[in-house]
Amino acid sequence: MASIINVILSGGVGSRLWPLSRKARPKQYIPLFEGQSLFELTVARNQGVVDRTIMVGSIQNVDLAKPYLPEHKSQTIVEASPRNTAAAIAFAAFACNPDDILIVTPSDHLIENQTQYEAVLKQGVEMAQQDYLVTFGIQPNRPETGYGYIEYEDNYVLSFREKPNLETAKEFLKRGNFLWNSGIFCFKASIYLEELFRFEPKVFRASKEVFEASHHGVLSEELSAKIPSKSIDYAVMERSERIKVIPSQFVWSDMGSYDSLYDYLKVKGHAVDSAGNMVIGTDKYVSFVGVQDTILVYTEDALLVVKKQASQDVKHLYEELEHGASPLL
């Protein structure tokens, strides 16, 4: 009998939330959300729908995940060298029966309205049982430039759009037939693998070789290096004719940058001064003079000061530190 399996992707480093997020402890494992982490919340919210959980994560932080995975109903696939989401999902699909339904979720999203969320997932499972590749789109409530978009009509995808500039995002909102791309997917293991083989045979074959050579769920770093690094969006979702989208109303944020974290913390009562400035990570007295909508982030070894509107640019700072082999990563 086919099972429903939550595939949790946890290979990212959360570069736009540096310095809170580090390689050794990425953002999804930081207990910022009323004492819980995004990973912990992700596992819990899907348990009412799925039979098992498969976590595909980095060897650097897999031990952080294990305490939150359901005992006797979970499996861990450890990437020594992550090769993007197309391969990560392929590993999980190879570990399943062909008719198993995979609900693929990132580990760093914040979702509210559990009842509506579960209802949408169940709708996705029904579509996946008909051999569709299902993606979930979020109804936008602002012209967001940090998310990709899906142009749609009913449950049909007309196009996928990259992160837009502000004017384009406003136009998307005005037109009313665009959804935020949530990065949550649902499909049969076999259908995903068929489409991956069809569009990216090199990714399919290399991923299969790596999976079959794995030892106790740990993948070979040397073999993994041969896998082309492709996202599921580019490798499959933007190219397949089997795609369906479900417009969704549950409250969603990918918590990918400080503007998202700021909005969440503000709603939860975190202190914000009269000019919209916020301090994260310290109880020390901080005074902002002559600036507004600015976020100060404190850690023991680093300070970040960023305008809320420039939160996406923290990724560029992270890349500079990475290029310089900084120990602060």
PDB file of all heavy atoms in Angstrom, residues 3-32:
ATOM      1  N   SER A   3       2.353   4.894   0.680  1.00  0.00           N
ATOM      2  CA  SER A   3       2.435   5.753   1.856  1.00  0.00           C
ATOM      3  C   SER A   3       2.519   7.207   1.439  1.00  0.00           C
ATOM      4  O   SER A   3       2.879   7.529   0.302  1.00  0.00           O
ATOM      5  CB  SER A   3       3.673   5.398   2.688  1.00  0.00           C
ATOM      6  OG  SER A   3       3.604   4.076   3.176  1.00  0.00           O
ATOM      7  N   ILE A   4       2.168   8.082   2.370  1.00  0.00           N
ATOM      8  CA  ILE A   4       2.368   9.519   2.175  1.00  0.00           C
ATOM      9  C   ILE A   4       3.572   9.918   3.025  1.00  0.00           C
ATOM     10  O   ILE A   4       3.607   9.653   4.230  1.00  0.00           O
ATOM     11  CB  ILE A   4       1.124  10.316   2.583  1.00  0.00           C
ATOM     12  CG1 ILE A   4      -0.086   9.869   1.762  1.00  0.00           C
ATOM     13  CG2 ILE A   4       1.362  11.814   2.398  1.00  0.00           C
ATOM     14  CD1 ILE A   4      -1.392  10.492   2.198  1.00  0.00           C
ATOM     15  N   ILE A   5       4.549  10.524   2.388  1.00  0.00           N
ATOM     16  CA  ILE A   5       5.837  10.772   3.038  1.00  0.00           C
ATOM     17  C   ILE A   5       6.201  12.240   2.960  1.00  0.00           C
ATOM     18  O   ILE A   5       6.171  12.842   1.885  1.00  0.00           O
ATOM     19  CB  ILE A   5       6.943   9.914   2.380  1.00  0.00           C
ATOM     20  CG1 ILE A   5       6.606   8.432   2.546  1.00  0.00           C
ATOM     21  CG2 ILE A   5       8.305  10.229   2.989  1.00  0.00           C
ATOM     22  CD1 ILE A   5       7.414   7.508   1.695  1.00  0.00           C
ATOM     23  N   ASN A   6       6.510  12.827   4.097  1.00  0.00           N
ATOM     24  CA  ASN A   6       7.007  14.201   4.127  1.00  0.00           C
ATOM     25  C   ASN A   6       8.507  14.186   3.885  1.00  0.00           C
ATOM     26  O   ASN A   6       9.268  13.645   4.675  1.00  0.00           O
ATOM     27  CB  ASN A   6       6.707  14.835   5.482  1.00  0.00           C
ATOM     28  CG  ASN A   6       7.160  16.285   5.600  1.00  0.00           C
ATOM     29  OD1 ASN A   6       7.317  16.805   6.688  1.00  0.00           O
ATOM     30  ND2 ASN A   6       7.357  16.954   4.479  1.00  0.00           N
ATOM     31  N   VAL A   7       8.931  14.755   2.777  1.00  0.00           N
ATOM     32  CA  VAL A   7      10.354  14.918   2.484  1.00  0.00           C
ATOM     33  C   VAL A   7      10.750  16.329   2.902  1.00  0.00           C
ATOM     34  O   VAL A   7      10.283  17.314   2.330  1.00  0.00           O
ATOM     35  CB  VAL A   7      10.644  14.705   0.983  1.00  0.00           C
ATOM     36  CG1 VAL A   7      12.127  14.948   0.694  1.00  0.00           C
ATOM     37  CG2 VAL A   7      10.227  13.306   0.550  1.00  0.00           C
ATOM     38  N   ILE A   8      11.571  16.414   3.924  1.00  0.00           N
ATOM     39  CA  ILE A   8      12.001  17.711   4.444  1.00  0.00           C
ATOM     40  C   ILE A   8      13.404  18.013   3.916  1.00  0.00           C
ATOM     41  O   ILE A   8      14.336  17.221   4.133  1.00  0.00           O
ATOM     42  CB  ILE A   8      12.009  17.731   5.981  1.00  0.00           C
ATOM     43  CG1 ILE A   8      10.611  17.418   6.531  1.00  0.00           C
ATOM     44  CG2 ILE A   8      12.483  19.081   6.502  1.00  0.00           C
ATOM     45  CD1 ILE A   8      10.536  17.383   8.038  1.00  0.00           C
ATOM     46  N   LEU A   9      13.536  19.129   3.221  1.00  0.00           N
ATOM     47  CA  LEU A   9      14.829  19.540   2.687  1.00  0.00           C
ATOM     48  C   LEU A   9      15.499  20.481   3.678  1.00  0.00           C
ATOM     49  O   LEU A   9      14.927  21.507   4.049  1.00  0.00           O
ATOM     50  CB  LEU A   9      14.648  20.240   1.338  1.00  0.00           C
ATOM     51  CG  LEU A   9      13.884  19.447   0.264  1.00  0.00           C
ATOM     52  CD1 LEU A   9      13.765  20.270  -1.013  1.00  0.00           C
ATOM     53  CD2 LEU A   9      14.550  18.109  -0.012  1.00  0.00           C
ATOM     54  N   SER A  10      16.707  20.118   4.097  1.00  0.00           N
ATOM     55  CA  SER A  10      17.376  20.920   5.123  1.00  0.00           C
ATOM     56  C   SER A  10      18.859  21.061   4.823  1.00  0.00           C
ATOM     57  O   SER A  10      19.706  20.857   5.686  1.00  0.00           O
ATOM     58  CB  SER A  10      17.174  20.283   6.503  1.00  0.00           C
ATOM     59  OG  SER A  10      17.644  21.139   7.523  1.00  0.00           O
ATOM     60  N   GLY A  11      19.159  21.433   3.583  1.00  0.00           N
ATOM     61  CA  GLY A  11      20.559  21.567   3.195  1.00  0.00           C
ATOM     62  C   GLY A  11      21.059  22.987   3.107  1.00  0.00           C
ATOM     63  O   GLY A  11      22.241  23.226   2.882  1.00  0.00           O
ATOM     64  N   GLY A  12      20.166  23.979   3.264  1.00  0.00           N
ATOM     65  CA  GLY A  12      20.553  25.376   3.101  1.00  0.00           C
ATOM     66  C   GLY A  12      21.297  25.929   4.300  1.00  0.00           C
ATOM     67  O   GLY A  12      21.241  25.381   5.407  1.00  0.00           O
ATOM     68  N   VAL A  13      22.004  27.051   4.068  1.00  0.00           N
ATOM     69  CA  VAL A  13      22.779  27.674   5.149  1.00  0.00           C
ATOM     70  C   VAL A  13      22.144  28.966   5.653  1.00  0.00           C
ATOM     71  O   VAL A  13      22.613  29.544   6.627  1.00  0.00           O
ATOM     72  CB  VAL A  13      24.232  27.972   4.694  1.00  0.00           C
ATOM     73  CG1 VAL A  13      24.947  26.686   4.365  1.00  0.00           C
ATOM     74  CG2 VAL A  13      24.255  28.928   3.510  1.00  0.00           C
ATOM     75  N   GLY A  14      21.085  29.438   4.998  1.00  0.00           N
ATOM     76  CA  GLY A  14      20.416  30.652   5.469  1.00  0.00           C
ATOM     77  C   GLY A  14      21.279  31.878   5.378  1.00  0.00           C
ATOM     78  O   GLY A  14      21.375  32.662   6.334  1.00  0.00           O
ATOM     79  N   SER A  15      21.905  32.104   4.212  1.00  0.00           N
ATOM     80  CA  SER A  15      22.887  33.179   4.069  1.00  0.00           C
ATOM     81  C   SER A  15      22.295  34.566   4.326  1.00  0.00           C
ATOM     82  O   SER A  15      22.988  35.467   4.804  1.00  0.00           O
ATOM     83  CB  SER A  15      23.511  33.129   2.680  1.00  0.00           C
ATOM     84  OG  SER A  15      22.532  33.232   1.665  1.00  0.00           O
ATOM     85  N   ARG A  16      21.007  34.767   4.035  1.00  0.00           N
ATOM     86  CA  ARG A  16      20.408  36.088   4.222  1.00  0.00           C
ATOM     87  C   ARG A  16      20.049  36.373   5.679  1.00  0.00           C
ATOM     88  O   ARG A  16      19.593  37.475   5.995  1.00  0.00           O
ATOM     89  CB  ARG A  16      19.169  36.228   3.327  1.00  0.00           C
ATOM     90  CG  ARG A  16      19.504  36.377   1.851  1.00  0.00           C
ATOM     91  CD  ARG A  16      18.259  36.394   0.995  1.00  0.00           C
ATOM     92  NE  ARG A  16      17.571  35.099   1.014  1.00  0.00           N
ATOM     93  CZ  ARG A  16      16.345  34.905   0.552  1.00  0.00           C
ATOM     94  NH1 ARG A  16      15.641  35.909   0.051  1.00  0.00           N
ATOM     95  NH2 ARG A  16      15.805  33.709   0.584  1.00  0.00           N
ATOM     96  N   LEU A  17      20.256  35.377   6.554  1.00  0.00           N
ATOM     97  CA  LEU A  17      20.058  35.607   7.987  1.00  0.00           C
ATOM     98  C   LEU A  17      21.374  35.529   8.759  1.00  0.00           C
ATOM     99  O   LEU A  17      21.388  35.282   9.965  1.00  0.00           O
ATOM    100  CB  LEU A  17      19.044  34.609   8.565  1.00  0.00           C
ATOM    101  CG  LEU A  17      17.569  34.943   8.317  1.00  0.00           C
ATOM    102  CD1 LEU A  17      16.669  33.903   8.967  1.00  0.00           C
ATOM    103  CD2 LEU A  17      17.199  36.334   8.822  1.00  0.00           C
ATOM    104  N   TRP A  18      22.493  35.731   8.045  1.00  0.00           N
ATOM    105  CA  TRP A  18      23.767  35.877   8.740  1.00  0.00           C
ATOM    106  C   TRP A  18      23.739  37.199   9.510  1.00  0.00           C
ATOM    107  O   TRP A  18      23.145  38.169   9.052  1.00  0.00           O
ATOM    108  CB  TRP A  18      24.921  35.908   7.721  1.00  0.00           C
ATOM    109  CG  TRP A  18      26.264  35.995   8.375  1.00  0.00           C
ATOM    110  CD1 TRP A  18      27.060  34.970   8.765  1.00  0.00           C
ATOM    111  CD2 TRP A  18      26.953  37.204   8.746  1.00  0.00           C
ATOM    112  NE1 TRP A  18      28.204  35.461   9.359  1.00  0.00           N
ATOM    113  CE2 TRP A  18      28.158  36.819   9.371  1.00  0.00           C
ATOM    114  CE3 TRP A  18      26.661  38.570   8.631  1.00  0.00           C
ATOM    115  CZ2 TRP A  18      29.067  37.753   9.863  1.00  0.00           C
ATOM    116  CZ3 TRP A  18      27.562  39.503   9.127  1.00  0.00           C
ATOM    117  CH2 TRP A  18      28.756  39.101   9.731  1.00  0.00           C
ATOM    118  N   PRO A  19      24.289  37.300  10.726  1.00  0.00           N
ATOM    119  CA  PRO A  19      25.135  36.337  11.429  1.00  0.00           C
ATOM    120  C   PRO A  19      24.391  35.393  12.375  1.00  0.00           C
ATOM    121  O   PRO A  19      25.026  34.586  13.054  1.00  0.00           O
ATOM    122  CB  PRO A  19      26.073  37.246  12.220  1.00  0.00           C
ATOM    123  CG  PRO A  19      25.218  38.430  12.572  1.00  0.00           C
ATOM    124  CD  PRO A  19      24.320  38.632  11.377  1.00  0.00           C
ATOM    125  N   LEU A  20      23.052  35.491  12.460  1.00  0.00           N
ATOM    126  CA  LEU A  20      22.336  34.526  13.286  1.00  0.00           C
ATOM    127  C   LEU A  20      22.515  33.122  12.727  1.00  0.00           C
ATOM    128  O   LEU A  20      22.730  32.157  13.461  1.00  0.00           O
ATOM    129  CB  LEU A  20      20.844  34.862  13.333  1.00  0.00           C
ATOM    130  CG  LEU A  20      20.398  36.069  14.162  1.00  0.00           C
ATOM    131  CD1 LEU A  20      18.891  36.211  14.083  1.00  0.00           C
ATOM    132  CD2 LEU A  20      20.844  35.926  15.613  1.00  0.00           C
ATOM    133  N   SER A  21      22.410  33.002  11.403  1.00  0.00           N
ATOM    134  CA  SER A  21      22.502  31.714  10.735  1.00  0.00           C
ATOM    135  C   SER A  21      23.942  31.441  10.320  1.00  0.00           C
ATOM    136  O   SER A  21      24.566  32.264   9.646  1.00  0.00           O
ATOM    137  CB  SER A  21      21.582  31.706   9.507  1.00  0.00           C
ATOM    138  OG  SER A  21      21.582  30.454   8.880  1.00  0.00           O
ATOM    139  N   ARG A  22      24.464  30.293  10.726  1.00  0.00           N
ATOM    140  CA  ARG A  22      25.830  29.888  10.390  1.00  0.00           C
ATOM    141  C   ARG A  22      25.818  28.482   9.801  1.00  0.00           C
ATOM    142  O   ARG A  22      24.852  27.738   9.962  1.00  0.00           O
ATOM    143  CB  ARG A  22      26.721  29.896  11.644  1.00  0.00           C
ATOM    144  CG  ARG A  22      26.715  31.200  12.439  1.00  0.00           C
ATOM    145  CD  ARG A  22      27.361  32.357  11.684  1.00  0.00           C
ATOM    146  NE  ARG A  22      27.327  33.590  12.470  1.00  0.00           N
ATOM    147  CZ  ARG A  22      28.356  34.053  13.176  1.00  0.00           C
ATOM    148  NH1 ARG A  22      29.499  33.375  13.211  1.00  0.00           N
ATOM    149  NH2 ARG A  22      28.251  35.188  13.842  1.00  0.00           N
ATOM    150  N   LYS A  23      26.905  28.113   9.144  1.00  0.00           N
ATOM    151  CA  LYS A  23      26.970  26.784   8.538  1.00  0.00           C
ATOM    152  C   LYS A  23      26.760  25.684   9.571  1.00  0.00           C
ATOM    153  O   LYS A  23      26.130  24.665   9.294  1.00  0.00           O
ATOM    154  CB  LYS A  23      28.311  26.587   7.823  1.00  0.00           C
ATOM    155  CG  LYS A  23      28.419  27.359   6.521  1.00  0.00           C
ATOM    156  CD  LYS A  23      29.721  27.050   5.803  1.00  0.00           C
ATOM    157  CE  LYS A  23      29.769  27.774   4.447  1.00  0.00           C
ATOM    158  NZ  LYS A  23      31.028  27.485   3.720  1.00  0.00           N
ATOM    159  N   ALA A  24      27.293  25.883  10.759  1.00  0.00           N
ATOM    160  CA  ALA A  24      27.174  24.868  11.799  1.00  0.00           C
ATOM    161  C   ALA A  24      25.801  24.851  12.462  1.00  0.00           C
ATOM    162  O   ALA A  24      25.417  23.862  13.077  1.00  0.00           O
ATOM    163  CB  ALA A  24      28.251  25.075  12.871  1.00  0.00           C
ATOM    164  N   ARG A  25      25.060  25.949  12.297  1.00  0.00           N
ATOM    165  CA  ARG A  25      23.717  26.030  12.861  1.00  0.00           C
ATOM    166  C   ARG A  25      22.863  26.976  12.013  1.00  0.00           C
ATOM    167  O   ARG A  25      22.665  28.129  12.370  1.00  0.00           O
ATOM    168  CB  ARG A  25      23.756  26.510  14.310  1.00  0.00           C
ATOM    169  CG  ARG A  25      22.435  26.239  15.049  1.00  0.00           C
ATOM    170  CD  ARG A  25      22.468  26.828  16.440  1.00  0.00           C
ATOM    171  NE  ARG A  25      21.356  26.352  17.239  1.00  0.00           N
ATOM    172  CZ  ARG A  25      20.990  26.885  18.399  1.00  0.00           C
ATOM    173  NH1 ARG A  25      21.640  27.921  18.888  1.00  0.00           N
ATOM    174  NH2 ARG A  25      19.983  26.390  19.074  1.00  0.00           N
ATOM    175  N   PRO A  26      22.364  26.461  10.889  1.00  0.00           N
ATOM    176  CA  PRO A  26      21.572  27.295   9.991  1.00  0.00           C
ATOM    177  C   PRO A  26      20.270  27.758  10.640  1.00  0.00           C
ATOM    178  O   PRO A  26      19.830  27.234  11.661  1.00  0.00           O
ATOM    179  CB  PRO A  26      21.299  26.371   8.799  1.00  0.00           C
ATOM    180  CG  PRO A  26      22.324  25.316   8.876  1.00  0.00           C
ATOM    181  CD  PRO A  26      22.601  25.131  10.336  1.00  0.00           C
ATOM    182  N   LYS A  27      19.630  28.718   9.984  1.00  0.00           N
ATOM    183  CA  LYS A  27      18.454  29.391  10.539  1.00  0.00           C
ATOM    184  C   LYS A  27      17.344  28.447  10.955  1.00  0.00           C
ATOM    185  O   LYS A  27      16.619  28.715  11.908  1.00  0.00           O
ATOM    186  CB  LYS A  27      17.899  30.389   9.527  1.00  0.00           C
ATOM    187  CG  LYS A  27      17.417  29.746   8.225  1.00  0.00           C
ATOM    188  CD  LYS A  27      16.867  30.762   7.249  1.00  0.00           C
ATOM    189  CE  LYS A  27      16.427  30.114   5.959  1.00  0.00           C
ATOM    190  NZ  LYS A  27      15.883  31.058   4.982  1.00  0.00           N
ATOM    191  N   GLN A  28      17.210  27.302  10.235  1.00  0.00           N
ATOM    192  CA  GLN A  28      16.087  26.409  10.540  1.00  0.00           C
ATOM    193  C   GLN A  28      16.222  25.721  11.898  1.00  0.00           C
ATOM    194  O   GLN A  28      15.267  25.122  12.376  1.00  0.00           O
ATOM    195  CB  GLN A  28      15.895  25.364   9.435  1.00  0.00           C
ATOM    196  CG  GLN A  28      17.082  24.456   9.169  1.00  0.00           C
ATOM    197  CD  GLN A  28      17.950  24.956   8.044  1.00  0.00           C
ATOM    198  OE1 GLN A  28      18.120  26.159   7.870  1.00  0.00           O
ATOM    199  NE2 GLN A  28      18.493  24.060   7.263  1.00  0.00           N
ATOM    200  N   TYR A  29      17.399  25.826  12.528  1.00  0.00           N
ATOM    201  CA  TYR A  29      17.608  25.183  13.827  1.00  0.00           C
ATOM    202  C   TYR A  29      17.722  26.189  14.974  1.00  0.00           C
ATOM    203  O   TYR A  29      18.048  25.808  16.099  1.00  0.00           O
ATOM    204  CB  TYR A  29      18.865  24.307  13.777  1.00  0.00           C
ATOM    205  CG  TYR A  29      18.766  23.213  12.740  1.00  0.00           C
ATOM    206  CD1 TYR A  29      19.509  23.263  11.570  1.00  0.00           C
ATOM    207  CD2 TYR A  29      17.887  22.144  12.914  1.00  0.00           C
ATOM    208  CE1 TYR A  29      19.408  22.272  10.601  1.00  0.00           C
ATOM    209  CE2 TYR A  29      17.777  21.152  11.953  1.00  0.00           C
ATOM    210  CZ  TYR A  29      18.537  21.228  10.804  1.00  0.00           C
ATOM    211  OH  TYR A  29      18.420  20.242   9.848  1.00  0.00           O
ATOM    212  N   ILE A  30      17.463  27.457  14.708  1.00  0.00           N
ATOM    213  CA  ILE A  30      17.543  28.474  15.753  1.00  0.00           C
ATOM    214  C   ILE A  30      16.167  28.638  16.404  1.00  0.00           C
ATOM    215  O   ILE A  30      15.182  28.895  15.707  1.00  0.00           O
ATOM    216  CB  ILE A  30      17.995  29.823  15.164  1.00  0.00           C
ATOM    217  CG1 ILE A  30      19.330  29.667  14.432  1.00  0.00           C
ATOM    218  CG2 ILE A  30      18.131  30.867  16.259  1.00  0.00           C
ATOM    219  CD1 ILE A  30      19.747  30.900  13.652  1.00  0.00           C
ATOM    220  N   PRO A  31      16.040  28.496  17.711  1.00  0.00           N
ATOM    221  CA  PRO A  31      14.720  28.548  18.379  1.00  0.00           C
ATOM    222  C   PRO A  31      14.205  29.970  18.567  1.00  0.00           C
ATOM    223  O   PRO A  31      14.027  30.448  19.692  1.00  0.00           O
ATOM    224  CB  PRO A  31      14.988  27.859  19.715  1.00  0.00           C
ATOM    225  CG  PRO A  31      16.424  28.148  20.006  1.00  0.00           C
ATOM    226  CD  PRO A  31      17.122  28.152  18.664  1.00  0.00           C
ATOM    227  N   LEU A  32      13.930  30.643  17.459  1.00  0.00           N
ATOM    228  CA  LEU A  32      13.486  32.034  17.499  1.00  0.00           C
ATOM    229  C   LEU A  32      11.976  32.175  17.565  1.00  0.00           C
ATOM    230  O   LEU A  32      11.463  33.271  17.756  1.00  0.00           O
ATOM    231  CB  LEU A  32      13.978  32.758  16.229  1.00  0.00           C
ATOM    232  CG  LEU A  32      15.455  33.123  16.149  1.00  0.00           C
ATOM    233  CD1 LEU A  32      15.780  33.646  14.757  1.00  0.00           C
ATOM    234  CD2 LEU A  32      15.794  34.173  17.198  1.00  0.00           C
TER     235      LEU A  32
END
